[in-house]
Amino acid sequence: MMDPSTIVCRCEEINIDEIESAMKNGAETFDDIKRLTRCGMGTCQAKICFGPVSEIIAEYLDKPLEVIQP
């Protein structure tokens, strides 16, 4: 498990704790997290953070990574 303060979205400086907080507030997809945190809305347009965020979603929802939709 990574440290909750680890930055996942460098463009918007969103950390794991913020992603998990969004999920506790009902986020279940990358788009949900994007709306609640701005994760993926920076310069790279989620090219860097989509993978790690998808892994966090899969782990949180206890689903295989393959079923996490882009």
Side-chain angles (χ1 to χ4, degrees):
M1 184 108 184
M2 294 190 339
D3 184 298
S5 65
T6 301
I7 299 290
V8 194
C9 176
R10 289 186 266 168
C11 299
E12 295 295 323
E13 297 183 0
I14 307 298
N15 63 33
I16 292 173
D17 188 48
E18 291 171 284
I19 305 271
E20 290 177 346
S21 291
M23 298 193 74
K24 288 175 187 168
N25 286 312
E28 294 186 353
T29 66
F30 186 85
D31 281 344
D32 292 341
I33 290 169
K34 185 177 183 177
R35 281 187 216 93
L36 292 170
T37 67
R38 293 194 48 82
C39 180
M41 295 180 76
T43 306
C44 83
Q45 295 292 290
K47 288 179 183 77
I48 295 172
C49 63
F50 181 76
V53 172
S54 295
E55 290 176 20
I56 293 167
I57 294 169
E59 183 178 324
Y60 186 87
L61 297 176
D62 196 28
K63 293 185 177 180
L65 186 58
E66 299 79 40
V67 301
I68 304 304
Q69 296 295 318

